Amino acid sequence: MIVLKTSNELRLMQRAGQISAQVLQLAGQAVKPGVTTLELDQLIEKFIRSQGAVPSFKGYGGFPGSACISINNEVIHGIPGHRVIQEGDIVSIDVGAVIDGFHGDNASTFAAGEITPAAQKLMDVTRESLNRGIQAAQAGNRIGDISWAVQSYVEENGFAVVRQFVGHGVGSNLHEDPEVPNFGKPHRGPRLMPGMTIAIEPMVNETGAGVRVLQDGWTTVTQSGSLSAHFEHTIAITDNGPVILTQP
Ligand code: MG
């Protein structure tokens, strides 16, 4: 069931989104060679709690961290730990915050020091595919219009969208209906209505769409071993077009 939010609820979601975006920005600035993913996670948890919010991911399905931190060939759901970030790594951070009963959810991939042109292109294409998906999130369109906007742009650039994991509705629950796949056909799927709030989150692999989950039950890596990038915003569908709720 898709839950439509009232204008008051959208204001609450904007606050949750703001904290989520601020902490993502802060964490991104801290991505440097020599830093561990656990240090990033601690910084993230401290900031979120300092705002009177709670990390959405902490304990979700038993997840141990406050953020998912995924490096290079890791796509999503990397568990923060003692891994040290190296020069040239690309580091995807996915983080959400809940306050006053509503969640924000967002992600970005950050460069640690100098990265290769190929890694930079992957990040640029993934970020732009999110922008294209957001632009397609107009009231009256359908979920498939978002999916197609993301997929077609990614594939035109020679990369592959992950199919095993998808975006989602977000609100008083971190994951709500509808699913928002990063692949699909235009004019298909649920109709976008004002008051819908969704997380659009392309996960893009350099080579091949396949992914697998490691023995820890969380960390998801590319089948091919290639790099992967991930960008996400929580947005609201409104009569005046899509509004990004995860803005610092
Ligand atoms: Mg999400």
Side-chain angles (χ1 to χ4, degrees):
M1 187 189 67
I2 296 173
V3 182
L4 301 180
K5 280 75 178 181
T6 65
S7 54
N8 187 49
E9 288 170 334
L10 287 179
R11 272 192 290 277
L12 295 175
M13 285 201 60
Q14 205 142 29
R15 178 68 185 132
Q18 185 184 38
I19 295 168
S20 303
Q22 286 170 338
V23 74
L24 182 61
Q25 193 174 56
L26 190 74
Q29 287 161 357
V31 168
K32 287 186 179 72
V35 173
T36 69
T37 55
L38 187 63
E39 286 168 336
L40 292 178
D41 195 66
Q42 286 166 344
L43 176 87
I44 286 166
E45 179 166 11
K46 195 171 161 209
F47 179 84
I48 291 174
R49 294 196 191 278
S50 77
Q51 302 302 301
V54 172
S56 298
F57 298 0
K58 188 112 193 183
Y60 188 90
F63 188 76
S66 292
C68 298
I69 305 179
S70 309
I71 299 178
N72 296 338
N73 64 315
E74 296 173 351
V75 181
I76 49 167
H77 298 169
I79 300 173
H82 297 292
R83 181 166 177 180
V84 178
I85 294 168
Q86 307 292 322
E87 175 82 21
D89 283 349
I90 61 169
V91 180
S92 298
I93 301 178
D94 189 352
V95 62
V98 54
I99 186 166
D100 296 329
F102 287 92
H103 294 267
D105 188 5
N106 62 177
S108 285
T109 301
F110 300 97
E114 277 283 307
I115 60 171
T116 64
Q120 187 64 54
K121 185 186 174 193
L122 178 68
M123 286 170 56
D124 292 345
V125 167
T126 308
R127 186 190 289 107
E128 178 59 20
S129 75
L130 171 59
N131 292 338
R132 305 247 171 154
I134 292 170
Q135 280 317 305
Q138 307 288 339
N141 278 359
R142 293 179 182 271
I143 290 288
D145 294 305
I146 299 174
S147 307
W148 174 244
V150 172
Q151 180 186 7
S152 57
Y153 182 74
V154 167
E155 292 181 354
E156 273 164 30
N157 281 282
F159 298 133
V161 290
V162 171
R163 291 156 185 258
Q164 208 170 310
F165 295 90
V166 296
H168 50 92
V170 53
S172 53
N173 295 296
L174 181 60
H175 295 109
E176 300 184 349
D177 289 338
E179 287 195 341
V180 185
N182 298 302
F183 60 95
K185 294 188 166 62
H187 318 307
R188 302 282 177 86
R191 180 86 64 189
L192 300 174
M193 313 234 297
M196 279 173 68
T197 48
I198 55 175
I200 305 176
E201 51 176 322
M203 292 149 257
V204 176
N205 297 348
E206 212 177 357
T207 313
V211 297
R212 64 189 171 89
V213 179
L214 299 185
Q215 292 242 310
D216 63 19
W218 286 103
T219 312
T220 301
V221 300
T222 57
Q223 286 279 14
S224 66
S226 78
L227 296 176
S228 190
H230 182 204
F231 286 83
E232 176 181 31
H233 272 306
T234 297
I235 66 150
I237 311 295
T238 79
D239 285 320
N240 303 314
V243 173
I244 299 174
L245 299 174
T246 39
Q247 302 244 54

